[in-house]
Amino acid sequence: MDAVLLDLRLPGAGGLEALRQIKAQRPEALVIVVTGYGTVQSAVQAMKHGAYDYVTKPFSMDELKLLLERVASHLKLKTENRMLREKVKSNQGYGAIVGRAPEMEKLYRIIAKAANSSHPVLILGESGTGKEMVARSIHYSGPFRDRPFIPIDCGSLVPTLIESEMFGYVKGAFTGANQSKDGLLAIAEGGTVFLDEVGELPVDLQAKLLRAVQEKEIRPVGSTRRIPINVRILAATNRDLEQAVMEGTFRRDLYFRLNVLSLRIPPLRERRDDIPLLIMHFLDRLARGSVQQKTLSDDAYKALLAYDWPGNVRELENCLERTWAFTSGPMIHVPDLPPAIAQLQNPAATNGDGHDRIIPMAELEKQTILHAIAELNGDKLQAARLLGIGKTTLYRKLKDYATQL
């Protein structure tokens, strides 16, 4: 029993009681209630108890046919989603990486080769594509899996802190250095150090990092003694490092030293076939941590598929988490989605002359970013986190918007 056409005016217990029993025994069944013109309020009550839709008497056969066609489309979508869930559960790919597109299959092959090498790897990709996840897959798929994996965010700390974090310092090296501290490059002995957003590293620290990678030794801040290290270096960036080398903001010798092996993670818009798989993956994870089950309406699902995802997988994940948290009912509808995505279901806006126009994707993205910052009282870091984009990307876009004024 997949679908039920239920008249609310039944003898005995009545339609609402029958609806409760049906949903108790077959929660997945789609129930369409039939009600008289003067009892629409009863239909609304039935919707609250889990009915899929309602139709009022008298109705034409064409109206009923259209409704049943929509039900059939919904059931087909549920079947496809169930198949996608099975694919997710089969754990295709590496670790937590989800994807079956040809671009991802190619990425898995490169990860397998990189995992069994000790050479540095440069991981390229836009913000939100999963560069750290790929780095972890390389580490935990290879011979270093039992050793430490230590990530360092080169773009989040001021240069002095990055230096002391990476290389350590000795007691008295600077104000507040009351005791010596080992650097992360030394702590990761025998393991992997992941330099996230290495393109943000200041040029003077690039020289020090080059020596560490090349000579396999470091000198803590304030010390004259060099300490040997034995670590593998994985680096990632969303910047065009070749362009940065030409502009003089990134050392050529360090670029070649880090780029012994390289791989590029495709943005989500280049592997759109993976979006349904990712949606099911994140919804399943959210369901496991929630007491209430939620599903996407057909229109909401189509809106998610149509969106361009400039923030990539991170944006998709954050979008679903936020939508799940703020949707009270069991069904997620288009209005529950972020504005930039919801508007894709009604992208036409009216010009002053009465004609429709299509809002460019870049303009929708701009409106969403500025709206999020305004709603969060100017908190850009929080806005970046909720939007699913990196803070560096957010600041760059805000700078671009300022130049457009």
Side-chain angles (χ1 to χ4, degrees), residues 200-222:
E200 306 300 322
L201 203 62
V203 176
D204 57 335
L205 288 184
Q206 292 175 26
K208 198 166 184 178
L209 174 62
L210 174 64
R211 183 173 184 86
V213 176
Q214 190 165 283
E215 304 297 334
K216 298 188 180 301
E217 62 179 24
I218 59 172
R219 182 170 62 84
V221 177

Side-chain angles (χ1 to χ4, degrees), residues 268-340:
L268 197 50
R269 62 182 174 275
E270 292 183 8
R271 54 181 186 111
R272 304 194 72 88
D273 290 347
D274 283 338
I275 295 177
L277 202 63
L278 287 161
I279 290 173
M280 291 303 104
H281 171 71
F282 292 133
L283 288 180
D284 279 346
R285 193 175 69 187
L286 289 166
R288 289 195 296 270
S290 174
V291 295
Q292 184 182 26
Q293 300 297 307
K294 299 183 183 183
T295 57
L296 288 166
S297 71
D298 297 357
D299 288 343
Y301 184 76
K302 291 174 183 175
L304 292 173
L305 295 181
Y307 185 57
D308 209 35
W309 300 110
N312 295 295
V313 179
R314 185 193 295 136
E315 183 184 10
L316 173 59
E317 179 183 12
N318 286 0
C319 165
L320 292 172
E321 286 182 356
R322 184 169 64 252
T323 302
W324 186 285
F326 288 103
T327 302
S328 56
M331 181 74 72
I332 297 173
H333 297 282
V334 171
D336 299 319
L337 301 173

Side-chain angles (χ1 to χ4, degrees), residues 162-368:
I162 297 176
E163 183 177 16
S164 59
E165 283 291 307
M166 290 177 62
F167 303 104
Y169 55 83
V170 297
K171 181 179 179 180
F174 49 82
T175 303
N178 299 321
Q179 59 184 10
S180 299
K181 178 183 177 181
D182 290 334
L184 295 177
L185 288 170
I187 293 174
E189 178 66 22
T192 300
V193 168
F194 172 56
L195 303 174
D196 195 12
E197 299 305 341
V198 71
E200 306 300 322
L201 203 62
V203 176
D204 57 335
L205 288 184
Q206 292 175 26
K208 198 166 184 178
L209 174 62
L210 174 64
R211 183 173 184 86
V213 176
Q214 190 165 283
E215 304 297 334
K216 298 188 180 301
E217 62 179 24
I218 59 172
R219 182 170 62 84
V221 177
S223 174
T224 57
R225 185 171 61 92
R226 298 192 179 277
I227 300 172
I229 59 171
N230 176 29
V231 296
R232 186 188 192 181
I233 300 294
L234 304 179
T237 182
N238 60 10
R239 293 181 60 191
D240 184 343
L241 285 191
E242 290 186 1
Q243 182 66 31
V245 169
M246 294 175 61
E247 295 171 352
T249 58
F250 200 85
R251 292 181 62 107
R252 183 181 300 274
D253 44 9
L254 179 59
Y255 171 68
F256 288 122
R257 180 59 63 179
L258 295 177
N259 196 29
V260 176
L261 297 174
S262 68
L263 56 87
R264 175 183 175 271
I265 308 175
L268 197 50
R269 62 182 174 275
E270 292 183 8
R271 54 181 186 111
R272 304 194 72 88
D273 290 347
D274 283 338
I275 295 177
L277 202 63
L278 287 161
I279 290 173
M280 291 303 104
H281 171 71
F282 292 133
L283 288 180
D284 279 346
R285 193 175 69 187
L286 289 166
R288 289 195 296 270
S290 174
V291 295
Q292 184 182 26
Q293 300 297 307
K294 299 183 183 183
T295 57
L296 288 166
S297 71
D298 297 357
D299 288 343
Y301 184 76
K302 291 174 183 175
L304 292 173
L305 295 181
Y307 185 57
D308 209 35
W309 300 110
N312 295 295
V313 179
R314 185 193 295 136
E315 183 184 10
L316 173 59
E317 179 183 12
N318 286 0
C319 165
L320 292 172
E321 286 182 356
R322 184 169 64 252
T323 302
W324 186 285
F326 288 103
T327 302
S328 56
M331 181 74 72
I332 297 173
H333 297 282
V334 171
D336 299 319
L337 301 173
I341 303 172
Q343 290 181 51
L344 290 177
Q345 289 301 93
N346 184 26
T350 304
N351 287 324
D353 58 5
H355 293 92
D356 287 343
R357 67 178 178 88
I358 301 299
I359 301 175
M361 188 68 68
E363 180 62 25
L364 287 177
E365 179 188 83
K366 177 181 177 180
Q367 292 175 10
T368 303

